[in-house]
Amino acid sequence: MSARDQILAALTRHPAPPVEPARPESRPEMPANPWSVLEERLAQNGGRLVHSHSGAWIDSVKWPCEFAELTHVYVAKNVPESSPTPPASQLSPTAHLSTLTSRGVGATAKAMRDLEPLEVTVLYADFAVAENGAVWHVPASALERTAALLAEHLIVLVPASSLVATLHHAYERIALAETRFGWFLSGPSKTADIEQSLVLGAHGPRTMQLVALES
Amino acid sequence: MGHVDRAREFVRDESRTKWHDESLWFVRAKRDDAADTVPDWEALRDEAATIKRDALSRLPDLWRQFETAATEAGAVVHWARDAEEHNQIVLDLLEERGFRRVVKSKSMLTEECGLNPFLEARGIEIIDTDLGERIVQLRNEPPSHIVMPAIHLKRSEVGKLFEKEMGAPVGLDDPDALTALARKDLRKRFIAAEAGITGVNFAVAETGSFVVVTNEGNADLGTALPSLHIACVGLEKIIPAPSDLAPFLRLLARSATGQPISAYTSHFRGPREAEDIGSPAPAMHIVIVDNGRSDLLAQPSFRDALACIRCGACLNTCPVYRRSGGHSYGTTIPGPIGSVLEPSRDPKAHAELPHACTLCGSCTNVCPVRVPLHHQLLTWRAHLAEGGHHPTRRRVAFGLAGRLFAHPRAYEILTKAGRRVARRLPTAWLDRLTSPWTEARTLPPIPARSFREQMRARARQATKGPR
Amino acid sequence: MRVALFVPCYVDQLRPQIGLATLDFLTAAGFEVDFQEEVICCGQPFLTAGETKRAAALGARFVDAFQHVDAIVTPSGSCAATLRRHLESLVAAPAAASVAAKTFELCEFITKESACPPLSRPFPHRVGLHASCHGLRELGLGTPTETRAATRIDPARELLSRIPELEITSLDRRDECCGFGGTFSVEEAAVSTRMGLDRLEDHGRGGAEIVTSTDVSCLLHLEGLSRRRTLPFEIFHIAEILAASALGHDLRASAEPR
């Protein structure tokens, strides 16, 4: 008998008694101030929430250096177009998304290992979850997944209208059977493995900004 | 040497014991705060507990369903009866491809199976990529906690280790700087890795998906780059449907570290997309491991422990674990859940673990899936005593006491004589006679008359007149 | 109402004054109290040592002795918890379930019956209340810090708070185990000691002069540690404090000198 059949037989020999899962009648509803709940929970995970109007997010986020000096950037294809709003912008007036993508090493990388070094990765997520400050993101490719991990700084855009209250609501929106890879992201890569001391940037991004896009 | 001796050794260092206790209590307190933010916390525990028990009642069906769905998604499913089979399957997968460089994210299952030493002995470099795991790997010791593997170490000890292993400057003990060094070292290894091994937090029967949760992103980095992803999963990790993930993921990080969710909650279904031109085609292999789990399922008193989601909350709250350290247990999984699981593997070797517990019940109360841990530990004591695994001195002592308590006359005579002797003995002698109780405690003054005697005296007085 | 007083062996032998205080307090509360000399032990030490058969034999004696009384009251939360939670599974006799259900810890019983005599004498002391794990987590006397279920009344705290001039001191860790744990206290003496000392330190930080509890075993452990290190604590069982306030019992005179 194969290992498989032996294991299945062993499990069949001594089944645990049937149990009906205790499903609650209701789930927690959207809090009155969902974005401030999300902001607080995201901050607990070391992330930062930014509100922005779609088309102006470049202006709203913090860049690690002068925008014009960025050289290694990955911008996901589904990220909406944006230009800084002159004249208030601290950014170069010529800066806009196309200047990012044209410079982005990620956009032209043939192999994932070529992504290094990567300063910033910008992703576009499906929706956000108020109760834990997470966003659901399905990378378009393994390259995009890698870019999200190798970058020093991560920026994730999400439509403000897409907020759900809890993970229960989140899974109603996810078609897991059709998802090769998808993840909830909340905050940067982090560790507290040395004396419980929180360190951001364990392996991946050191910062994570979540941008709620108002249309 | 058992838990008693190792724990005694641990508490000898008073300041370290205090530090260890407070580090873990801090995590327990964060867990409490996180639970406060969830209005339906107890209902969620009920739901998660019953989903797991439902799953445990139909494991064969769920795993068959998983196998079909995962295979459709392009994964290859393997079955391993025990640790040896598991290790061999992993080795074969690597050797078939001539792979020599492997990165692994935290997995208690591979720890249980002894995968690292097995692969290393066969010339394969296997690198633990979780920072805490990496630290204990470099120290050549097991994790002392299932979620925080290096919780027993001080920053200065990590500094010394990194001095030797990563060329850290002498005296460096800043966690940021130490982590940065490890990051740099591990980044190279991620880039160079040919295969990535992960554990599995939850396997979803309906879709053949599985979920891996990390804060560092190491499971993702370790599987995004290499072409081969090997996921090792214990039989207890299956849940029926995607919507079942919600209660567990709402409970897991909050119970484990007090976070609202971990930084990365990744859902895998089949191998990753082909990307690198000229690289080997991506492949995903899932190894389903029994290694004693079907035996545990056959034991009605203990099968609930298979519901465990390895959050570590029972360790953090356990007053004994906090003051004796994970290594004092001498097992892969320490603390209350370990003391429930390990005796089922080897009752003789671990017969004393269920006694490394005061039965305070705090573990049972924090458990997100309501494993009745302290009652299971109590039940283990009975099983192990019946199995002849308890020391003779305990059996004899309790045999005598049991008989005494069933014979009030004998009890009366013996205790009266005992008290009379005790009242006359010098304290030092009495202490020696009643050690180890008096090792650190001084007996109260021994009363001349027991409660019973005083009751009789009262009754005599009462017949003479009102008292 | 007739209640049976159950005095476990270590109270009988080492702290008889706790048994007397319990008896007098129950009497003052208006109950007719019987004491059964035949029952010495509820079986708890045997159960926790894994000696189930011996625990069952003692449990059977317990059921036999107490099946016809209205209630059984004991100044030991852990004995009450053992009986309430395990008696039925240990003893086959049909009366086991009803005996288990009518066994109470002293404060629990007084509160349940709303029968507290006037606690009129002031007790001008700062008192640290040690939550016995078995009372708290098995009998549900109070709300453990782990749980988010509906809060439950802690009868001991409730009764103490009625005593004039008694101040209940605070703790950093409200319901951490003291480390007694039955055989644990001798088999794992080193860890047990550390746990107990940590508890006493916590009580010290809160400014407690007196440490009390519903459980005698926890108190014997804490008292032994305190004595060895000549720490500034006095240790009294809650029945002693209740009897002092209700009846004017002299706490310190009740202990017969060595």
Side-chain angles (χ1 to χ4, degrees), chain C residues 156-169:
Chain C
R157 181 172 294 270
E158 155 69 17
L159 293 179
L160 285 182
S161 65
R162 293 190 206 172
I163 299 177
E165 293 176 44
L166 184 152
E167 180 196 336
I168 304 179
T169 55

Side-chain angles (χ1 to χ4, degrees), chain B residues 301-302 320 339-340 343 347 350-361 373-391 394-395 398, chain C residues 44-53 134 180-185 187-188:
Chain B
S301 304
F302 305 114
V320 178
S339 298
V340 168
H350 302 304
E352 286 309 293
L353 285 183
H355 292 268
C357 161
T358 62
L359 301 173
C360 79
L373 289 156
H374 74 295
H375 284 155
Q376 290 188 331
L377 289 170
L378 182 62
T379 308
W380 260 128
R381 295 181 186 185
H383 280 232
L384 292 163
E386 267 164 42
H389 298 297
H390 273 183
R394 188 188 292 149
R395 304 225 69 170
F398 278 96
Chain C
Q44 176 182 202
F46 302 87
L47 183 73
T48 59
E51 300 291 326
T52 315
K53 282 195 191 107
H134 290 109
F180 170 70
T183 48
F184 182 88
S185 63
E187 294 186 349
E188 290 263 12

Side-chain angles (χ1 to χ4, degrees), chain A residues 1-24 26-29 40-46 109-118 129-136 138-154 165-172 174-206 208, chain B residues 19 23 26-27 30 37-40 43-44 46-47 50-51 53-54 56-57 59-60 63-64 67 73 79-81 85 129-133 135 147-151 153-156 158 162 175-176 178-180 182-183 186-187 190-194 204 207 209 211 215-218 220-221 223-226 235 242-247 249-250 254 258-273 275-277 279 288-290 293-294 297-298 303:
Chain A
M1 200 151 67
S2 70
R4 175 187 186 275
D5 295 343
Q6 251 184 44
I7 291 170
L8 289 173
L11 294 177
T12 314
R13 256 195 309 280
H14 305 283
V19 172
E20 187 62 35
R23 306 288 182 190
S26 65
R27 301 295 183 187
E29 284 168 17
E40 186 198 317
R41 306 283 153 83
L42 180 62
Q44 280 178 39
N45 273 340
K110 285 193 186 63
M112 293 189 291
R113 286 170 176 82
D114 297 344
L115 282 168
E116 275 220 307
L118 192 56
V129 186
E131 70 157 337
N132 56 21
V135 286
W136 174 253
V138 179
S141 61
L143 183 85
E144 187 165 307
R145 182 182 3 158
T146 312
L149 293 160
L150 289 180
E152 295 284 301
H153 304 279
L154 181 64
T166 70
L167 282 177
H168 305 289
H169 305 89
Y171 279 104
E172 285 169 17
I174 296 170
L176 209 59
E178 284 108 57
T179 307
R180 188 194 289 268
F181 180 86
W183 51 6
F184 287 109
L185 297 171
S186 181
S189 160
K190 63 183 141 300
T191 180
D193 274 344
I194 301 175
E195 272 197 27
Q196 282 297 295
S197 180
L198 181 68
V199 179
L200 303 182
H203 293 295
R206 298 170 197 278
M208 190 261 203
Chain B
W19 166 80
S23 302
F26 173 69
V27 186
K30 284 201 294 180
T37 68
V38 179
D40 51 339
L44 211 50
D46 286 333
E47 187 180 14
T50 49
I51 291 171
R53 282 153 183 81
D54 169 41
L56 291 175
S57 76
L59 285 177
W63 278 116
R64 278 194 205 98
E67 184 183 36
W79 300 76
R81 275 168 294 203
E85 278 190 6
T129 54
D130 172 86
L131 177 61
E133 287 267 305
I135 290 168
V147 174
M148 300 170 282
I151 189 77
L153 294 174
K154 298 206 174 189
R155 57 183 72 192
S156 56
V158 178
F162 281 15
D176 273 293
L178 291 168
T179 305
R183 173 188 167 109
L186 287 166
R187 180 64 70 94
F190 278 121
I191 302 278
E194 296 158 313
V204 183
T207 60
S209 312
V211 174
N215 266 319
E216 298 184 7
N218 54 320
D220 305 288
L221 207 43
T223 54
L225 287 164
L235 279 175
S243 60
D244 293 327
L245 287 166
L249 291 171
R250 293 183 69 200
R254 289 181 172 106
Q259 288 174 266
I261 189 169
S262 301
Y264 298 90
T265 305
S266 301
H267 302 58
F268 296 86
R269 187 172 185 275
R272 69 162 168 79
E273 307 86 341
E275 199 81 28
D276 289 22
I277 296 149
S279 297
I288 303 168
V289 187
D290 184 339
R293 286 162 178 75
S294 57
L297 186 73
R303 66 162 64 110

Side-chain angles (χ1 to χ4, degrees), chain B residues 378 382 385-386 395 398-399 401-403 405-406, chain C residues 39 41-63 82-83 86-92 96:
Chain B
L378 182 62
E386 267 164 42
R395 304 225 69 170
F398 278 96
R403 249 162 273 164
F405 288 164
Chain C
V39 185
C41 179
C42 67
Q44 176 182 202
F46 302 87
L47 183 73
T48 59
E51 300 291 326
T52 315
K53 282 195 191 107
R54 303 222 174 262
L58 292 168
R61 287 181 64 87
F62 196 96
V63 172
T82 299
L83 294 159
H86 301 290
L87 192 60
E88 225 187 314
S89 63
L90 286 171
V91 179

Side-chain angles (χ1 to χ4, degrees), chain B residues 302-326:
Chain B
F302 305 114
R303 66 162 64 110
D304 272 358
L306 289 168
C308 172
I309 57 173
R310 304 288 189 269
C311 70
C314 62
L315 281 65
N316 304 340
T317 203
C318 176
V320 178
Y321 173 89
R322 277 189 263 114
R323 291 175 184 81
S324 62

Side-chain angles (χ1 to χ4, degrees), chain C residues 13-230:
Chain C
Q13 293 298 316
L14 294 172
R15 283 299 207 99
Q17 64 270 34
I18 295 172
L20 295 172
T22 307
L23 172 75
D24 293 344
F25 188 69
L26 282 169
T27 310
F31 299 103
E32 281 182 73
V33 187
D34 286 335
F35 173 66
Q36 284 263 10
E37 286 208 2
E38 296 300 297
V39 185
I40 300 162
C41 179
C42 67
Q44 176 182 202
F46 302 87
L47 183 73
T48 59
E51 300 291 326
T52 315
K53 282 195 191 107
R54 303 222 174 262
L58 292 168
R61 287 181 64 87
F62 196 96
V63 172
D64 212 37
F66 291 128
Q67 54 185 317
H68 300 301
V69 301
D70 297 326
I72 305 115
V73 180
T74 177
S76 164
S78 61
C79 295
T82 299
L83 294 159
R84 188 90 58 78
R85 297 290 298 241
H86 301 290
L87 192 60
E88 225 187 314
S89 63
L90 286 171
V91 179
S98 74
V99 169
K102 64 186 179 189
T103 303
F104 299 95
E105 181 277 320
L106 171 65
C107 299
E108 179 188 28
F109 180 70
I110 292 289
T111 311
K112 182 184 86 77
E113 294 293 322
S114 309
C116 188
L119 298 166
S120 47
R121 291 170 188 79
F123 193 81
H125 296 286
R126 292 193 302 277
V127 177
L129 176 58
H130 169 68
S132 129
C133 295
H134 290 109
L136 181 67
R137 300 196 182 85
E138 302 284 2
L139 293 178
L141 307 180
T143 313
T145 49
E146 303 93 19
T147 180
R148 295 297 173 271
T151 51
R152 285 167 177 266
I153 287 170
D154 174 1
R157 181 172 294 270
E158 155 69 17
L159 293 179
L160 285 182
S161 65
R162 293 190 206 172
I163 299 177
E165 293 176 44
L166 184 152
E167 180 196 336
I168 304 179
T169 55
S170 64
L171 285 163
D172 292 337
R173 300 185 190 178
R174 183 158 63 77
D175 54 15
E176 173 103 317
C177 176
C178 69
F180 170 70
T183 48
F184 182 88
S185 63
V186 288
E187 294 186 349
E188 290 263 12
V191 179
S192 170
T193 298
R194 185 68 262 157
M195 288 169 69
L197 291 174
D198 287 353
R199 277 307 59 220
L200 288 173
E201 264 179 45
D202 200 345
H203 280 290
R205 280 193 298 275
E209 312 158 55
I210 289 173
V211 177
T212 191
S213 173
T214 55
D215 230 305
V216 188
S217 47
C218 304
L219 291 177
L220 284 172
H221 164 62
L222 293 173
E223 183 185 32
L225 294 168
S226 178
R227 271 176 196 276
R228 175 63 57 87
R229 283 163 182 75
T230 56

Side-chain angles (χ1 to χ4, degrees), chain A residues 67-141:
Chain A
F67 187 79
E69 288 165 17
L70 288 168
T71 54
H72 295 75
V73 182
Y74 177 92
V75 181
K77 286 198 182 71
N78 52 353
V79 168
E81 190 61 42
S82 170
S83 303
T85 26
S89 171
Q90 83 279 24
L91 303 175
S92 140
T94 56
H96 53 83
L97 185 65
S98 56
T99 69
L100 267 187
T101 45
S102 64
R103 251 182 292 160
V105 65
T108 56
K110 285 193 186 63
M112 293 189 291
R113 286 170 176 82
D114 297 344
L115 282 168
E116 275 220 307
L118 192 56
E119 295 163 280
V120 179
T121 289
V122 186
L123 304 173
Y124 189 75
D126 293 5
F127 61 88
V129 186
E131 70 157 337
N132 56 21
V135 286
W136 174 253
H137 174 246
V138 179
S141 61

